[in-house]
Amino acid sequence: MTVKLSLASLKDAAATAGVPNYDPKTLSPGIIHFGVGNFHRAHQAVYLDDLFNTGKGHDWALIGAGVLPSDAAMRDKLKAQDYLTTVVEQDNNKTGARVTAPMIDIIAPDSKDALIEKLAEPAIRIVSMTITEGGYFIDAAGHFNPAHPAMVEDGKNPAAPKTVFGLILAGLKLRRERGVTPFTIMSCDNIPGNGHVTENTVIGLAKMSDPAFAEWIHGNVAFPNSMVDRITPATGAREIDILKNDFNIDDNWPVFCEEFKQWVMEDNFPAGRPALEEVGVQFVPDVAPYELMKIRILNGGHATIAYPGELLDIHFVHEAMEHPLIRAFLAKLEKEEIIPIVPPVPDTNLDEYFDLIERRFLNPKIGDTIPRLAQDGSNRQPKFILPSTRDRLAKGDDIVGLSLVSALWCRYFAGTSDSGRKIVFNDASAEKLQAAAIKAKDDPNAFLVFDEIFGEVSKNELFRKRFAHALKTLWAEGTAKTLQLYLDDKLVQD
């Protein structure tokens, strides 16, 4: 018998899944979270659920929020099941399900006044977010972009905000007027220095309408940096059906993820925080070494295998890793060009860390997909790949493999795989990138005109040379032959 997930059915769900040992009805909110997607529910929400299960921190429950139509859809799905989520953790050798209950409400995008009022409540001591790398209104160098249309509009109309940052400012302003201690703002996105980036966007937007308020934020609001990690694919019919068939639970939008998870944070929470160190979160003086390791080795690794996978018509990540050329490409690139420029990380062997990444990518149960890794490259390439390229060039080191990653991305945006299959893009800049990629078949420099993506890297003669040769080889020889040439150290034109 299938159990329709709800608070009333938790006892029945316990037959096949772990369930909270606390009463969700007794929780009170302490955190508002923007962006209630799969990663948040597999990561931050799971850590909070772990803490609540110890009997501690019950005044740190989550209220979800968002500004997009997808946020409204997520609210409807979760509200129908009392904001519960089934998390299915999948390792190579085992699979287990648990129902989590740290979220007690989601405020819909059309209830902005109610959200601002909730943000002003003294009980809310943390505002966190997972709004993707592209949600911070920054340029290729990671600087706030005040010319973005959404920022221009919120800057002109701070009393009627439409963005996450505009809403945060409205909440902070109301707290200041009422004499309420400001909340801590905590980014949980894969951005180097995510706390600094968040601070720059919040203060940058505030300066557009109220410089004095911006100065107050600078002196009174904390923005801790953090590193987050857990591979969490998108949910679809496959995942919903697996949960029904294997665990007899009917969840409107379950989350499937790997067993591994990691969260490293700076301990900078003036208004207080939950005792997450008791459930595995690492609090450290400086997150930068950890986040740089993760962003360049793991996220950079994802970007490395995504585009050859697409061009060779591979759907699942583990299948790409089972392809001998793609796996060897990843290993050679990481060991020769990426890992050597990653600074030391406390108590961490980087070669062993990469071995762990390989095993995680090979996990067949996750069902993570190459199209997911390939999406939003216009925001991901400048954060995950091009910084390694830039740093190697600054040291005078070669970038044959990293240039090939950029060339594979360009070849992907031409719109067809090596077999002629039409590629479906998921990138806000897809139209202009495709137009440039098609021109680049004859003139590789046509793809390097986007300063907001490539920055100074595109002006480097060695990079332009390596990129052009790699792209021309991809068009002339195909993806597999080009990868083999790279592996044989023959993808170099002097």
Side-chain angles (χ1 to χ4, degrees), residues 410-452:
C410 176
R411 170 64 186 86
Y412 156 88
F413 258 109
T416 57
S417 69
D418 284 7
S419 71
R421 173 184 61 87
K422 183 178 180 181
I423 293 173
V424 178
F425 304 125
N426 185 352
D427 193 303
S429 300
E431 186 175 350
K432 68 178 183 180
L433 287 169
Q434 183 172 18
I438 292 171
K439 290 181 182 178
K441 183 177 181 180
D442 298 316
D443 175 16
N445 289 334
F447 196 72
L448 303 180
V449 300
F450 305 110
D451 288 343
E452 71 274 19

Side-chain angles (χ1 to χ4, degrees), residues 95-417:
T95 298
R98 61 186 285 187
V99 177
T100 63
M103 184 162 288
I104 58 176
D105 194 10
I106 298 178
I107 300 176
D110 60 358
S111 302
K112 289 187 174 67
D113 290 343
L115 176 55
I116 292 169
E117 189 62 41
K118 184 62 69 172
L119 284 164
E121 289 186 4
I124 301 302
R125 288 148 286 167
I126 295 174
V127 171
S128 57
M129 63 188 78
T130 44
I131 54 176
T132 78
E133 298 85 4
Y136 287 80
F137 307 104
I138 56 178
D139 59 22
H143 301 141
F144 173 62
N145 177 16
H148 191 287
M151 293 292 91
V152 171
E153 186 169 357
D154 267 11
K156 290 180 178 178
N157 303 287
K162 294 184 178 180
T163 68
V164 168
F165 296 101
L167 288 162
I168 287 173
L169 287 175
L172 280 173
K173 184 166 283 189
L174 203 53
R175 292 175 84 100
R176 186 182 64 162
E177 292 172 359
R178 295 175 179 178
V180 177
T181 301
F183 44 66
T184 296
I185 303 176
M186 180 177 71
S187 169
C188 298
D189 281 300
N190 283 314
I191 301 175
N194 57 11
H196 299 313
V197 170
T198 305
E199 180 177 16
N200 290 340
T201 299
V202 170
I203 292 177
L205 178 57
K207 283 181 179 178
M208 296 170 69
S209 61
D210 189 342
F213 181 41
E215 189 63 30
W216 178 85
I217 294 170
H218 178 71
N220 291 277
V221 181
F223 298 84
N225 290 299
S226 67
M227 183 272 269
V228 297
D229 190 8
R230 191 173 216 182
I231 296 174
T232 309
T235 297
R238 171 184 176 271
E239 287 72 29
I240 293 171
D241 290 343
I242 289 174
L243 186 63
K244 288 179 181 177
N245 295 333
D246 293 357
F247 296 95
N248 297 323
I249 296 175
D250 183 1
D251 185 320
N252 290 330
W253 212 246
V255 174
F256 280 57
C257 57
E258 64 178 334
E259 187 175 41
F260 177 90
K261 66 181 186 295
Q262 186 177 17
W263 197 359
V264 185
M265 269 197 290
E266 293 172 355
D267 200 352
N268 182 18
F269 293 83
R273 63 166 176 81
L276 292 167
E277 68 275 14
E278 297 190 17
V279 289
V281 176
Q282 297 168 261
F283 286 94
V284 299
D286 184 12
V287 168
Y290 298 90
E291 68 181 6
L292 194 64
M293 171 186 71
K294 189 258 179 175
I295 285 171
R296 296 210 178 176
I297 298 176
L298 186 146
N299 296 111
H302 270 161
T304 298
I305 67 175
Y307 303 107
E310 277 278 22
L311 292 170
L312 293 174
D313 299 321
I314 297 172
H315 183 69
F316 287 109
V317 172
H318 69 273
E319 292 173 340
M321 288 296 292
E322 289 165 358
H323 191 292
L325 292 176
I326 294 179
R327 185 172 182 182
F329 171 44
L330 174 65
K332 179 178 173 69
L333 177 71
E334 292 270 16
K335 292 175 182 179
E336 293 184 1
E337 297 190 23
I338 296 178
I339 292 174
I341 57 166
V342 174
V345 180
D347 303 317
T348 304
N349 180 301
L350 294 181
D351 290 321
E352 292 177 359
Y353 179 77
F354 173 65
D355 291 340
L356 170 64
I357 297 303
E358 274 196 315
R359 293 195 298 273
R360 292 167 65 191
F361 286 6
L362 278 162
N363 185 346
K365 291 186 178 180
I366 293 297
D368 201 5
T369 66
I370 290 296
R372 185 187 80 86
L373 303 192
Q375 70 184 18
D376 201 27
S378 61
N379 282 303
R380 294 178 176 183
Q381 289 282 314
K383 299 175 180 69
F384 302 157
I385 292 295
L386 291 166
S388 294
T389 308
R390 180 195 63 223
D391 288 357
R392 287 188 66 83
L393 290 171
K395 292 177 61 180
D397 294 335
D398 212 333
I399 36 77
V400 178
L402 288 163
S403 298
L404 176 54
V405 175
S406 295
L408 284 160
W409 183 48
C410 176
R411 170 64 186 86
Y412 156 88
F413 258 109
T416 57
S417 69

